[in-house]
């Protein structure tokens, strides 16, 4: 007796049920987009007026006349080079001390593409950022002027602070990199404030450029 194969396999005729396509994964996206999302939320706060953008040239006046407290959220190695005297310091990013095989691989890639040229360490978000700011500034009605080197990290920090209950927030527009020598009257450290984010090979190119400019002025 011959066996009918359609007893063993699903029918492909128009009367038979078509096999269902495989289900796609419903897992959330990787967390590598969280930084971009946080900065986007910060920009929305600035555009809505919830966070006030303050240019570097107006920062000293905002602090002296309006009572803003300058909150420096740069990592330690940037602040050590140059800092505004009297400013508070709570880093948004800290050096990643994890030495698991995957993180070590990431560190090597980071060094090759970024660290060698900029001198920046491989970092991770400071999990205690909000709590550390609250310890420094218990009054959430206080006026905080959040600042970093380029302005991006401080947008993220302002977003976190706003979500944590701080509502009188200013953002140093463009960061310390956009500041002039005269914008902040008291600066401590071995470098100019606008150059503190530059390190690695880029730092030597910067020094060469400054030297050539100085020679050009002498001529």
């Amino acid at each position: 007796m011959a066996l009918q194969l359609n007893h063993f396999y699903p029918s492909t005729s128009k009367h038979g049920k078509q096999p269902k396509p495989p289900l796609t994964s419903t897992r959330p996206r990787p967390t590598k987009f969280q930084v971009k999302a946080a900065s986007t939320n910060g920009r929305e706060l600035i555009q809505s007026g919830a966070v006030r953008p303050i240019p570097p040239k107006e920062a000293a006046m905002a602090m002296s006349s309006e009572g803003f407290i300058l909150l420096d959220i740069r990592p330690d190695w940037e602040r050590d080079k140059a800092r505004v005297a009297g400013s508070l310091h709570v880093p948004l990013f800290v050096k990643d001390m994890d030495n698991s095989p995957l993180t070590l691989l990431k560190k090597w890639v980071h060094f090759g593409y970024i660290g060698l040229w900029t001198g920046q360490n491989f970092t991770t978000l400071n999990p205690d950022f909000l709590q550390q700011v609250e310890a420094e500034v218990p009054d959430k009605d206080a006026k905080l002027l959040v600042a970093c080197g380029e302005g991006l990290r401080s947008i993220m920090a302002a977003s976190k602070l706003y979500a944590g209950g701080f509502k009188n927030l200013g953002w140093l527009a463009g960061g310390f990199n956009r500041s002039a020598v005269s914008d902040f009257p008291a600066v401590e450290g071995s470098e100019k404030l606008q150059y503190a984010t530059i390190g690695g090979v880029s730092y030597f190119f910067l020094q060469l450029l400054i030297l050539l400019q100085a020679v050009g002025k002498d001529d």
Side-chain angles (χ1 to χ4, degrees):
M1 182 177 65
L3 295 176
Q4 295 184 5
L5 293 178
N6 59 3
H7 289 174
F8 295 90
Y9 295 94
S11 174
T12 57
S13 67
K14 63 181 179 179
H15 300 292
K17 292 183 178 180
Q18 298 296 326
K20 295 182 179 180
L23 295 175
T24 57
S25 175
T26 58
R27 290 182 297 177
R29 288 278 192 178
T31 57
K32 66 180 181 179
F33 298 107
Q34 289 179 351
V35 170
K36 183 177 180 181
S39 62
T40 301
N41 293 337
R43 289 192 180 95
E44 292 173 354
L45 291 174
I46 292 170
Q47 292 171 355
S48 68
V51 175
R52 173 183 164 189
I54 299 177
K57 64 181 180 180
E58 299 176 8
M61 183 63 69
M63 290 187 288
S64 61
S65 300
E66 301 181 47
F68 273 93
I69 302 169
L70 184 62
L71 175 62
D72 188 343
I73 59 94
R74 296 174 299 164
D76 293 336
W77 52 90
E78 289 184 26
R79 181 175 169 84
D80 289 343
K81 294 178 183 179
R83 58 201 171 273
V84 177
S87 60
L88 299 180
H89 179 232
V90 178
L92 179 63
F93 287 91
V94 293
K95 187 175 181 179
D96 194 336
M97 304 304 293
D98 180 22
N99 289 320
S100 64
L102 180 58
T103 302
L104 287 176
L105 177 60
K106 291 179 180 178
K107 288 180 179 180
W108 275 108
V109 174
H110 172 272
F111 178 76
Y113 282 91
I114 300 175
L116 176 65
W117 301 102
T118 67
Q120 292 289 335
N121 290 309
F122 188 75
T123 59
T124 186
L125 278 170
N126 179 3
D128 302 319
F129 173 73
L130 180 60
Q131 291 79 2
Q132 291 173 359
V133 174
E134 290 172 338
E136 293 283 348
V137 188
D139 182 9
K140 292 192 175 181
D141 290 326
K143 296 180 178 180
L144 292 180
L145 176 54
V146 189
C148 69
E150 307 88 356
L152 178 60
R153 292 169 294 180
S154 50
I155 291 180
M156 296 172 54
S159 177
K160 288 181 175 293
L161 292 171
Y162 188 86
F166 290 91
K167 303 304 181 184
N168 293 320
L169 295 172
W171 167 63
L172 188 68
F176 291 125
N177 289 6
R178 296 292 183 89
S179 66
V181 175
S182 59
D183 288 342
F184 296 95
V187 177
E188 302 171 339
S190 59
E191 299 290 341
K192 291 183 178 181
L193 196 57
Q194 59 265 45
Y195 299 150
T197 59
I198 302 174
V201 176
S202 299
Y203 176 79
F204 295 102
F205 281 110
L206 172 64
Q207 296 302 313
L208 178 60
L209 178 61
I210 294 174
L211 177 61
L212 292 175
Q213 289 177 340
V215 171
K217 289 180 180 179
D218 293 338
D219 293 342

